[in-house]
């Protein structure tokens, strides 16, 4: 009987001790959370973004608000990916934390993304063309997230977000996208074929791996990722295109612009570039169409993000510097695909005929910059 009583007493002691330990642990956790919250409140420190998508060899600038200039420590979990100087030294990802006075206040993650490069001041014409299914599904998804990150930073569905998409594909993505004649509107075949992902109309993100095929609902000779060969039907021997021959998939001019608009938050659908009076759904019909002349360029109305064109071709102004140079993102067969060309004022007027002022489409400018550097 006594043994049973002793056992009950011991069990009660263990039980009470356990309850006290749990209570004490919860109390400590709550106290620590309170202290961290108080530190953040008092010092005003804030990590505004937790996930970062960067290129190899880039210096990472964490988005931290620190109005009171308090001392804090950034700890990197894996310094083989990002070193203590916040330089990306290897492809992969690492978590990081921000501490104040020994307390962990914030956590985040840095992805060093395969396929991204540090933004150059000029388009790199020596970049290699994208290969067929060169990236895995996971790598493609990370590149898409990097694009979304740049668009979000610019403010989605604004002029700035469209410009961000154009700059990302021409400057920050490390490969060139080839020119591919539209396999959408094959008017020379007496019918209009709506086609996803063959030169003309793409959905969100970059088409770099096979899992992008899942979003394609209207096929003709594809599907095919950018860089993968599919059959085209345009006869343009001057540019090396022969009908019923396979060429690497990519963008025609209107395909690139509609992709840029879509990823910036404006889905204009499967549209062409032509200035055709009988149609009201081409890119020429967006915004306020103006003849390109000295008066227009001097008016202050032209902004980065406006569309610029000549009959049969559409492009977007992705930059304007203080020396009256215009940086035009476009896709043409003579350029073998998507490029970002620099035009001085004289060359711009000789090349293009119209500018579509896009204020009525974009409504807001967002975090717009005239140049990317």
């Amino acid at each position: 009987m006594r043994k049973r009583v002793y056992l009950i007493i011991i069990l009660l002691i263990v039980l009470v001790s356990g309850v006290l330990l749990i209570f004490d642990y919860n109390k400590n956790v709550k106290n620590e959370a309170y202290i961290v919250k108080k530190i953040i409140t008092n010092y005003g420190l804030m990590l505004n973004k937790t996930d970062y998508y960067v290129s190899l060899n880039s210096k990472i600038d964490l988005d931290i608000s620190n109005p009171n200039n308090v001392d804090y420590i950034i700890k990197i979990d894996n310094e083989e990916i990002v070193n203590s100087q916040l330089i990306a030294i290897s492809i992969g990802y690492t978590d990081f934390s921000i501490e104040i006075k020994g307390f962990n206040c914030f956590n985040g993650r840095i992805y060093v993304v395969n396929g991204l490069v540090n933004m150059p001041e000029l388009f790199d014409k020596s970049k290699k063309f994208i290969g067929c299914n060169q990236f895995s599904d996971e790598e493609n998804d990370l590149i898409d997230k990097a694009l979304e990150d740049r668009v979000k930073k610019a403010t989605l569905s604004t002029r700035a977000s469209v410009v961000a998409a154009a700059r990302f594909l021409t400057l920050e993505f490390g490969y060139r996208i080839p020119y591919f004649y539209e396999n959408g509107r094959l008017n020379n075949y007496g019918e209009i074929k709506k086609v996803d992902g063959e030169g003309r109309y793409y959905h969100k993100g970059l088409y770099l791996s096979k899992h992008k095929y899942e979003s394609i609902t209207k096929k003709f000779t594809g599907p095919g990722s950018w860089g993968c060969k599919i059959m085209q039907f345009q006869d343009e021997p001057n540019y090396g295109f022969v009908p019923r021959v396979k060429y690497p998939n990519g963008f025609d001019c209107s395909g690139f612009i509609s992709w840029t608009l879509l990823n910036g938050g404006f889905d204009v659908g499967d549209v062409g570039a032509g200035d055709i009076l009988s149609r009201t759904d081409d890119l020429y019909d967006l915004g306020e169409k103006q003849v390109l002349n000295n008066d227009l360029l001097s008016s202050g109305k032209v902004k980065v993000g406006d569309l610029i064109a000549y009959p049969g071709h559409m492009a977007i102004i992705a930059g304007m510097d203080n020396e009256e140079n215009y940086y035009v993102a476009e896709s043409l067969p003579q350029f073998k695909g998507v490029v970002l060309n620099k035009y001085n004022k004289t060359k711009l007027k000789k090349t293009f005929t119209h500018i579509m002022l896009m204020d009525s489409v974009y409504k807001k400018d967002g975090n717009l910059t005239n140049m990317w550097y």
Side-chain angles (χ1 to χ4, degrees):
M1 186 70 179
R2 287 184 178 181
K3 288 183 179 180
R4 185 176 296 179
V5 171
Y6 289 150
L7 285 174
I8 292 172
I9 293 172
I10 291 170
L11 286 173
L12 285 173
I13 292 171
V14 171
L15 182 63
V16 171
S17 299
V19 170
L20 290 174
L21 284 171
I22 292 171
F23 176 78
D24 193 49
Y25 172 79
N26 288 336
K27 184 179 178 181
N28 289 336
V29 169
K30 289 180 180 178
N31 286 340
E32 183 175 333
Y34 172 78
I35 292 170
V36 169
K37 185 177 180 180
K38 188 174 181 181
I39 288 172
I40 294 170
T41 302
N42 289 345
Y43 292 129
L45 189 77
M46 182 61 65
L47 178 65
N48 299 311
K49 188 172 73 170
T50 57
D51 292 338
Y52 296 81
Y53 303 88
V54 302
S55 59
L56 191 63
N57 301 319
S58 62
K59 179 71 168 68
I60 301 157
D61 184 19
L62 298 180
D63 188 359
I64 299 172
S65 296
N66 188 14
N68 296 311
N69 296 317
V70 300
D71 292 330
Y72 60 86
I73 296 173
I74 299 172
K75 289 191 173 181
I76 303 295
D77 284 7
N78 187 349
E79 292 195 10
E80 292 184 358
I81 302 295
V82 175
N83 65 21
S84 58
Q85 287 77 45
L86 292 183
I87 297 174
I89 57 176
S90 183
I91 298 296
Y93 73 87
T94 180
D95 294 320
F96 70 90
S97 59
I98 295 176
E99 294 184 359
I100 305 175
K101 296 183 180 297
F103 290 95
N104 184 354
C105 298
F106 302 103
N107 296 285
R109 179 169 288 183
I110 299 169
Y111 296 89
V112 184
V113 182
N114 183 30
L116 299 188
V117 296
N118 293 328
M119 271 184 151
E121 293 188 5
L122 292 174
F123 177 78
D124 182 5
K125 295 181 180 179
S126 68
K127 283 197 299 187
K128 294 180 179 179
F129 283 93
I130 186 68
C132 179
N133 295 321
Q134 181 175 335
F135 292 90
S136 68
D137 292 347
E138 292 77 14
E139 289 172 326
N140 194 164
D141 288 342
L142 276 179
I143 294 170
D144 283 354
K145 287 179 180 179
L147 170 59
E148 291 174 8
D149 177 73
R150 308 309 186 257
V151 166
K152 183 178 179 181
K153 182 178 180 181
T155 309
L156 181 63
S157 299
T158 64
R159 179 183 290 270
S161 62
V162 175
V163 172
R167 290 174 179 172
F168 182 88
L169 197 62
T170 54
L171 296 168
E172 198 169 0
F173 183 56
Y175 294 87
R176 295 183 64 175
I177 310 302
Y179 189 90
F180 186 87
Y181 277 101
E182 63 188 55
N183 268 349
R185 293 180 181 170
L186 295 170
N187 292 319
N188 54 324
Y189 285 82
E191 60 181 319
I192 297 176
K193 293 182 180 293
K194 294 292 185 179
V195 177
D196 293 349
E198 296 182 33
R200 166 84 76 169
Y201 183 68
Y202 294 91
H203 302 273
K204 282 190 176 181
L206 284 70
Y207 277 61
L208 307 176
S209 64
K210 287 185 177 180
H211 83 310
K212 287 290 180 161
Y213 300 168
E214 297 169 5
S215 68
I216 294 175
T217 58
K218 306 176 187 71
K219 297 181 287 186
F220 186 32
T221 70
S225 305
W226 292 338
C228 294
K229 290 185 177 181
I230 60 174
M231 191 175 294
Q232 71 88 41
F233 294 88
Q234 192 72 28
D235 187 8
E236 288 290 349
N238 290 335
Y239 301 119
F241 288 92
V242 179
R244 298 186 180 278
V245 172
K246 291 185 176 182
Y247 295 92
N249 193 18
F251 280 123
D252 68 355
C253 67
S254 55
F256 170 61
I257 298 304
S258 63
W259 179 91
T260 299
L261 289 164
L262 172 62
N263 282 274
F266 302 90
D267 189 355
V268 297
D270 179 8
V271 294
D275 187 13
I276 303 171
L277 294 177
S278 62
R279 301 190 70 97
T280 59
D281 61 348
D282 280 322
L283 292 169
Y284 254 97
D285 301 309
L286 293 177
E288 181 185 346
K289 180 182 173 184
Q290 295 284 312
V291 175
L292 200 169
N293 53 34
N294 279 327
D295 289 341
L296 179 63
L297 294 178
S298 302
S299 67
K301 295 180 179 179
V302 178
K303 297 180 182 179
V304 171
D306 286 334
L307 304 187
I308 186 166
Y310 57 76
H313 177 56
M314 185 65 61
I316 184 170
I317 300 173
M320 295 166 52
D321 65 23
N322 295 328
E323 299 175 356
E324 295 190 319
N325 293 309
Y326 297 80
Y327 298 80
V328 177
E330 55 191 328
S331 184
L332 279 171
Q334 55 264 45
F335 302 135
K336 302 186 186 304
V338 179
V339 294
L340 183 66
N341 286 322
K342 179 180 177 181
Y343 294 87
N344 61 31
K345 198 172 182 179
T346 300
K347 187 177 180 182
L348 192 79
K349 290 184 296 180
K350 287 182 177 179
T351 304
F352 298 94
T353 60
H354 293 85
I355 289 179
M356 271 50 68
L357 304 178
M358 296 287 284
D359 281 336
S360 63
V361 177
Y362 299 143
K363 309 295 185 184
K364 297 180 181 179
D365 281 349
N367 297 320
L368 187 68
T369 60
N370 280 341
M371 293 296 290
W372 52 92
Y373 60 87

